[in-house]
Amino acid sequence: MGVDYTAPVGVFDSGVGGLTVTREIMRHLPNEHVVYFGDTARVPYGSKSKDNIIRYSRQIIRFLQTKGVKAIVIACNTASALALDVVRQEVDIPVIGVVIPGARAAVKATENKKIGVIGTEATVQSGMYTKIMQKMDPEVSVIGKACPLFVPLVEEGFAKHKVTGEIIDYYLDSMRTSEIDSLILGCTHYPLLRSRIMDYMGDKIHLVNPAYETAMDLKHLLKEKDMVNDAITGEHATYSFYVSDVADKFKQFANSILPYDIEITQQINIEEY
Ligand code: DGL
């Protein structure tokens, strides 16, 4: 049996961060239906062990498969860095993450081959961005910095607050005085602090947003596998949102950053999968 090309794409994250990837999918693949899962009960993943991140990712993939998805995007840097290699072997649909697209874009953007990566503790400690980028170009040198407080600042709506400037200075001072010419926003929450980080780092630094690059990778993948949904004639595709906790808070946040308002966010028990 062939693949149902009208089936939705599954997208998941530890919480709201993956909405920055969903936003890019909505913008650049407007014909694709999306089923999103945010693991709001178990966020943050950035401080969890590899074993748990793999276990969570497996459960979410099983849940998304019950929705008949044709492909899955792991819209979380932490799960992409720690679980993608394992879980993509276990299913018969394509699974992509955000790390490879982000790494490729940074290697392309850098001129002096000095790249910074910011992300969660688990992402930075995994060294996955460094490994992938040095495989693409062995001359690249990489500095990593975990910025765990950026996640709650974004989730609490502090993106424009002055306290966020102090935290940015605390985390990124050493990046600013380093010789990097490109900086990867290696956590799906960070594009929501993009302008603050850009103001701080200066406009000579190229900020790489893996969310956009991932949407472009998905576009290529669907084309390559002959899975593009060209059956839509209406205004836009359908978007369904599921979370493991606090659906109302998620919906409010989603409606503040997505181009279309979410009508319903459904809570499910992810431990059942
Ligand atoms: N969305 C996660 C990521 O991109 C960050 C939040 C978390 O720690 O779960 O790594």
Side-chain angles (χ1 to χ4, degrees):
M1 210 177 67
V3 180
D4 175 10
Y5 66 92
T6 65
V9 173
V11 179
F12 78 87
D13 177 46
S14 55
V16 296
L19 292 171
T20 60
V21 179
T22 307
R23 182 168 68 172
E24 301 298 337
I25 296 173
M26 288 172 162
R27 282 178 185 151
H28 302 286
L29 293 86
N31 278 9
E32 297 301 335
H33 302 299
V34 173
V35 177
Y36 182 96
F37 178 79
D39 202 356
T40 45
R42 304 186 291 198
V43 67
Y45 283 10
S47 53
K48 303 287 190 310
S49 66
K50 181 173 178 159
D51 282 355
N52 268 323
I53 293 165
I54 292 173
R55 186 169 71 84
Y56 297 166
S57 301
R58 282 185 175 132
Q59 287 177 321
I60 297 167
I61 288 171
R62 282 196 285 269
F63 165 70
L64 289 173
Q65 286 193 294
T66 68
K67 300 291 166 197
V69 296
K70 62 183 173 187
I72 289 176
V73 178
I74 305 187
C76 172
N77 286 266
T78 310
S80 299
L82 282 92
L84 175 67
D85 283 350
V86 176
V87 297
R88 72 170 1 152
Q89 322 275 351
E90 300 172 346
V91 286
D92 56 3
I93 54 171
V95 183
I96 62 168
V98 288
V99 172
I100 294 172
R104 194 187 307 120
V107 168
K108 212 164 142 194
T110 184
E111 282 173 21
N112 70 2
K113 298 189 188 279
K114 294 184 183 7
I115 298 171
V117 182
I118 51 175
T120 65
E121 208 82 62
T123 299
V124 172
Q125 260 173 30
S126 75
M128 197 50 104
Y129 268 108
T130 308
K131 228 178 286 170
I132 291 170
M133 288 194 286
Q134 289 180 337
K135 211 166 161 191
M136 291 170 177
D137 181 348
E139 285 176 21
V140 153
S141 66
V142 185
I143 324 173
K145 178 82 185 172
C147 307
L149 288 175
F150 284 176
V151 171
L153 284 172
V154 166
E155 293 200 354
E156 294 307 318
F158 273 49
K160 296 199 172 104
H161 199 285
K162 78 174 190 323
V163 79
T164 302
E166 284 172 32
I167 311 275
I168 288 175
D169 179 49
Y170 174 76
Y171 284 138
L172 300 188
D173 183 37
S174 57
M175 285 281 180
R176 188 162 65 165
T177 53
S178 74
E179 290 174 359
I180 59 160
D181 71 354
S182 305
L183 178 64
I184 301 176
L185 304 177
C187 171
T188 46
H189 286 66
Y190 299 178
L192 299 169
L193 295 176
R194 187 173 208 279
S195 60
R196 299 294 302 269
I197 295 172
M198 197 153 75
D199 286 350
Y200 182 79
M201 295 297 288
D203 54 14
K204 286 197 184 73
I205 301 285
H206 185 89
L207 292 189
V208 177
N209 176 6
Y212 168 77
E213 306 299 337
T214 304
M216 293 299 114
D217 258 34
L218 176 65
K219 199 172 185 171
H220 291 139
L221 173 89
L222 296 180
K223 219 177 249 169
E224 189 187 287
K225 304 260 180 209
D226 209 10
M227 285 183 180
V228 174
N229 184 8
D230 49 19
I232 291 205
T233 49
E235 203 183 291
H236 62 76
T238 58
Y239 305 111
S240 316
F241 294 86
Y242 296 86
V243 290
S244 45
D245 204 1
V246 287
D248 275 353
K249 195 173 171 201
F250 176 92
K251 195 171 100 179
Q252 231 171 24
F253 192 93
N255 285 340
S256 73
I257 69 158
L258 292 179
Y260 309 113
D261 269 359
I262 293 184
E263 307 279 309
I264 300 168
T265 304
Q266 218 169 304
Q267 188 177 322
I268 58 137
N269 181 2
I270 195 65
E271 293 291 356
E272 282 174 2
Y273 292 86

